[in-house]
Amino acid sequence: MPRTVNPQGFDDKHKEVKDSEYARTIGCNTVSISAPFHWLALGLHDFVRMPLISAVYGLCFMAAAVGIVLLVQWQGTHLVVMPSLVVYMLIGPFLALGLYDASWEREKGHNASLIHSMKAISRNSTSQWAFAVLLAVCMIFWMRIAALLHALYPSVQGAPLTEFMPFLVIGSLVGLVLACVVFSISAFSIPLMMERRVDMMTAVFSSFNAVKSNIPAMIVWAALICGGILVGFATYGFGMLFTMPILGYATWHAYHETIKKKHHP
C-alpha cells in the first residue's frame, strides 16, 4: 500500500515533504462543494489576463476537436470517435501543461510567457509520457469493453426499447465506472508531476486519494469539466477555444488548493 504523508506528525515548524520516494501518496486538503466554482472563476480571470497564451492553446484544442468532428462527418460513422479520443488523450495532457505553467507563473508573481509555457512539456517528461500512455491504455480497454457489450445489442433493426435496456443499462454503468476511475487518477496528476516532479505512480495515487477524500466537490468539478467539453463539441469544436483554456487554468488552481504543499506550518 502506498504511504500517505501525514504532516500532523512533523515536529519541526517547517518540514519539507520529500518527493523522492516512489509510489507514495501525498496528502490532500478538504475542499467545500462550492470550491469548483471558485476555481472556474480563477480560471476565467487567468484567461482574460493572458490572452495570447489562452488563444494559442485554445486554438490547439479547437483544432483537435474540429478534426474529430470532421473525421466523423467524412467517414459517416461514429466508430472513428474512440480511436480519435485515444490520440486526444495522448496530446491533451501535454497541451494542458502549458496552461498549468502559465497559471503557476502568475501565481508566483511572474509574467507568464508563451515560450516558458511550452518548455513545461519537457519538465518531468518521462513520467508525463508514461501517464499519457496509461490514459491511452485506459481508452483502448474502454473500447474493448464496449465491443464486448455490443453483443447485448438487439439483432433486429427497430426492436422495441425493452430489448435495448440490457445494453443501455449495463453499458452506462460500465462507462460510468470507467469514467470515474479515469477522472480520479487524472484530476491532479499532471500538475503534480510538473510542479513536484514526482513519479507517475505517486501522482496517480495522490490524485485518487484527493478525489476520494472530496467526493461532493469532485462530482461538481467533473460536471463542470464535462459541461465545458460538451459545449466545445456542441459548437463543432469552436467552443474549445474558450472552454479548454479556462478549464486548464482552473485545474491548476484546483490542484493548488487540494493537494498539500511541500511545506506545512
Side-chain angles (χ1 to χ4, degrees), residues 12-88:
D12 298 338
K13 185 176 181 180
H14 294 284
K15 186 72 174 180
E16 181 175 349
V17 179
K18 295 182 179 179
D19 290 330
S20 58
E21 186 179 349
Y22 181 78
R24 63 195 179 87
T25 302
I26 298 174
C28 66
N29 300 311
T30 300
V31 298
S32 68
I33 194 172
S34 62
F37 298 101
H38 176 61
W39 303 334
L40 203 62
L42 293 174
L44 179 59
H45 184 268
D46 286 347
F47 178 84
V48 173
R49 293 295 183 275
M50 297 182 288
L52 176 60
I53 296 175
S54 301
V56 170
Y57 287 100
L59 283 170
C60 292
F61 280 108
M62 183 185 74
V66 169
I68 293 175
V69 172
L70 292 178
L71 186 61
V72 171
Q73 293 179 342
W74 177 50
Q75 293 290 330
T77 176
H78 290 79
L79 296 177
V80 297
V81 172
M82 290 301 288
S84 300
L85 289 178
V86 170
V87 177
Y88 197 84

Side-chain angles (χ1 to χ4, degrees), residues 65-159:
V66 169
I68 293 175
V69 172
L70 292 178
L71 186 61
V72 171
Q73 293 179 342
W74 177 50
Q75 293 290 330
T77 176
H78 290 79
L79 296 177
V80 297
V81 172
M82 290 301 288
S84 300
L85 289 178
V86 170
V87 177
Y88 197 84
M89 295 296 283
L90 281 170
I91 64 174
F94 291 94
L95 290 176
L97 276 169
L99 298 170
Y100 303 154
D101 179 81
S103 284
W104 188 17
E105 287 298 294
R106 275 185 49 82
E107 199 171 71
K108 292 185 292 187
H110 302 163
N111 291 323
S113 71
L114 181 60
I115 299 300
H116 191 280
S117 69
M118 290 179 175
K119 291 180 180 179
I121 296 176
S122 62
R123 191 180 298 129
N124 199 9
S125 58
T126 301
S127 295
Q128 291 161 2
W129 267 113
F131 183 72
V133 172
L134 174 64
L135 290 181
V137 170
C138 290
M139 291 298 297
I140 293 171
F141 177 72
W142 200 332
M143 290 169 59
R144 299 312 304 161
I145 293 295
L148 292 173
L149 289 175
H150 200 269
L152 299 174
Y153 200 81
S155 57
V156 180
Q157 188 174 6

Side-chain angles (χ1 to χ4, degrees), residues 222-255:
L224 291 175
I225 292 174
C226 290
I229 294 174
L230 287 175
V231 168
F233 278 106
T235 55
Y236 292 91
F238 291 100
M240 296 288 188
L241 181 63
F242 306 98
T243 60
M244 293 311 292
I246 293 173
L247 288 173
Y249 297 138
T251 298
W252 170 260
H253 295 290
Y255 155 75

Side-chain angles (χ1 to χ4, degrees), residues 4-5 26-30 206 209-211 213-214 257-260:
T4 302
V5 175
I26 298 174
C28 66
N29 300 311
T30 300
S206 301
N209 177 65
V211 172
S213 302
N214 293 281
E257 185 175 330
T258 306
I259 302 296
K260 287 190 180 296

